[in-house]
Amino acid sequence: MNNMKAYCYVLESPPGARYHFGEVTRDSSLSSSSIHPHSDTLFGAVIHNAFNKNKEKAQQILNSFENDEIIISSAFFYIENEDKRIHFLPKPIEFDFAIYDTASVDPKKVRQVKMLSWELVKAGLGPDKWFDENYCLALQDGEFICLKSEGKGFETAELYSKQITPKNPILYTSDKKDEEKDDERKIYYQTDVFLSYQSEIKVGYYFLLKHSESLSEQLLHFLDECVQLIVDFGLGGDRSTGGGAINKIEKMPFEWDEENNNAFVNLSLFLPKDENYRKGNYKVIKRGGLGTKTEHRLKLIQCIAEGGVFPEKLNGQIVEIGKEKLKNGQPYWLPLNLKNFDL
């Protein structure tokens, strides 16, 4: 693979912003929402913006994704005040499977953790330190963990909340048969995620993107334009009623120590191309399967969720789940040194 350059894109949200990132459930994608946008949602937004802007260049961008020349992560939380910004990564699921001395570590608390700060991961502190106030700070009832040294000023911070709202389906038609069907339709429920709003504290999302140095400056400029268009079009579902708003996108270089690591964690949804993924530890989620105007159902696929841990980098793939409907399963790998954990 060619040398890659990595960047962090910070998505600045309005105070108290509302989002819906649908998840596959028995009822519908509206009844459940991820707390953050997955990589396939970001990929879909960038590709949609690209084809709306320039089809020829858009095809080049798509080809670059398929050839691992552009790789995008899922988006995760950050929290900031006037002094600093803390970025969070998905907790490596390896920690959920480990056997602990229950005198010092509560396995239930470990499983409740969703994300760890960059600095905590770099420091290599394990669960025996996560809930020790001398080392770390736990936020949102233990869902987010950061170092004590970086958490000053965030002790009472909340990052998000969820709200479930009943919805009444309406058919906009004068057809009597459709009106009869409308009478039979039931109220459904929609889950939305609200980013917390506190004085002098901002909460938002960020994602990572890396690209081959061999790509032309013209194509990379076009890629950045397509990312910036997320500000105009929003992110996720329910955008027609005010959801998914993004105020500004900031781009900065991303650097990570690639040396002295013994494992790789995927920061995106991962669709393995080969069977060797079974050597890792991971959680599987379902994606796709939603109805459209032209098709009753899209293909339902199973992806490895963010936070899977593997002994080596593996190949992923982009798959078609319906006519001109793609799901991105190319993994974004982050090397880690998981001390005292053997894969």
Side-chain angles (χ1 to χ4, degrees), residues 79-86 150 152-154 200:
I79 187 170
E80 70 174 340
N81 57 22
E82 60 181 10
D83 296 322
K84 56 181 169 285
R85 178 187 291 156
I86 302 175
E150 64 179 336
K152 187 176 181 180
F154 297 108
E200 300 180 353

Side-chain angles (χ1 to χ4, degrees), residues 86-92 95 113-126 130 136 145-147 150 206 254 256-257 261 263 265 267 334-339:
I86 302 175
H87 301 81
F88 290 93
L89 290 167
K91 175 192 64 181
F95 292 115
V113 174
K114 288 183 169 65
M115 296 189 185
L116 308 172
S117 74
W118 283 5
E119 298 306 315
L120 173 59
V121 174
K122 291 176 181 178
L125 299 186
W130 293 355
C136 295
I145 311 291
C146 67
L147 294 178
E150 64 179 336
Y206 77 92
F254 174 73
W256 193 266
D257 183 10
N261 297 294
V265 61
L267 301 186
L334 189 75
L336 293 179
N337 186 1
L338 294 179
K339 299 176 182 178

Side-chain angles (χ1 to χ4, degrees), residues 40-324:
D40 57 352
T41 298
L42 292 166
F43 167 81
V46 171
I47 293 299
H48 175 269
N49 295 343
F51 274 95
N52 277 344
K53 191 172 178 64
N54 185 307
K55 291 185 178 180
E56 182 178 346
K57 290 182 180 179
Q59 188 59 53
Q60 294 178 47
I61 293 291
L62 179 56
N63 293 342
S64 296
F65 271 107
E66 292 176 332
N67 296 329
D68 283 343
E69 294 173 317
I70 301 175
I71 304 173
I72 193 169
S73 76
S74 295
F76 308 108
F77 285 93
Y78 75 84
I79 187 170
E80 70 174 340
N81 57 22
E82 60 181 10
D83 296 322
K84 56 181 169 285
R85 178 187 291 156
I86 302 175
H87 301 81
F88 290 93
L89 290 167
K91 175 192 64 181
I93 202 167
E94 193 77 8
F95 292 115
D96 286 355
F97 298 138
I99 299 176
Y100 302 104
D101 176 4
T102 54
S104 58
V105 179
D106 184 344
K108 291 183 179 179
K109 284 187 175 181
V110 173
R111 289 192 290 270
Q112 288 174 353
V113 174
K114 288 183 169 65
M115 296 189 185
L116 308 172
S117 74
W118 283 5
E119 298 306 315
L120 173 59
V121 174
K122 291 176 181 178
L125 299 186
D128 58 322
K129 299 293 192 298
W130 293 355
F131 306 98
D132 187 331
E133 295 180 354
N134 295 313
Y135 294 92
C136 295
L137 175 67
L139 303 175
Q140 191 103 13
D141 296 324
E143 291 187 14
F144 299 83
I145 311 291
C146 67
L147 294 178
K148 178 182 179 181
S149 58
E150 64 179 336
K152 187 176 181 180
F154 297 108
E155 290 83 358
T156 60
E158 298 285 324
L159 281 83
Y160 76 94
S161 62
K162 279 190 173 184
Q163 180 176 307
I164 301 174
T165 306
K167 300 281 186 175
N168 186 27
I170 299 175
L171 287 178
Y172 296 97
T173 177
S174 59
D175 192 303
K176 291 185 178 180
K177 292 182 179 180
D178 286 337
E179 289 178 0
E180 293 174 0
K181 291 180 181 179
D182 187 40
D183 292 338
E184 298 173 358
R185 299 176 75 184
K186 298 179 180 179
I187 291 175
Y188 64 94
Y189 295 87
Q190 177 173 315
T191 301
D192 292 318
V193 175
F194 290 82
L195 299 189
S196 297
Y197 173 64
Q198 298 160 277
S199 177
E200 300 180 353
I201 293 178
K202 293 181 180 179
V203 179
Y205 298 113
Y206 77 92
F207 66 88
L208 304 177
L209 184 148
K210 54 187 174 182
H211 65 76
S212 169
E213 292 182 345
S214 66
L215 296 180
S216 70
E217 288 298 322
Q218 184 182 30
L219 188 63
L220 293 175
H221 178 72
F222 179 72
L223 174 62
D224 273 340
E225 288 181 330
C226 296
V227 171
Q228 290 295 332
L229 280 172
I230 293 174
V231 174
D232 295 332
F233 296 111
L235 191 63
D238 220 21
R239 287 171 286 171
S240 62
T241 57
I246 301 293
N247 282 349
K248 184 175 70 173
I249 299 179
E250 176 188 358
K251 178 184 177 182
M252 63 188 69
F254 174 73
E255 296 181 355
W256 193 266
D257 183 10
E258 301 276 343
E259 304 296 329
N260 303 316
N261 297 294
N262 65 350
F264 296 90
V265 61
N266 63 298
L267 301 186
S268 59
L269 296 182
F270 174 31
L271 276 169
K273 202 170 185 178
D274 307 302
E275 290 294 316
N276 48 1
Y277 73 91
R278 299 181 185 278
K279 297 178 182 179
N281 289 316
Y282 51 86
K283 176 184 176 182
V284 174
I285 64 173
K286 293 179 180 179
R287 302 294 285 172
L290 308 181
T292 69
K293 293 180 180 179
T294 56
E295 298 174 271
H296 179 59
R297 298 287 286 183
L298 300 177
K299 182 180 179 182
L300 191 66
I301 58 174
Q302 291 188 323
C303 303
I304 291 175
E306 304 91 345
V309 179
F310 300 84
E312 60 183 345
K313 293 181 180 179
L314 304 175
N315 295 321
Q317 57 186 319
I318 296 175
V319 299
E320 189 172 351
I321 61 172
K323 185 178 180 181
E324 298 183 348

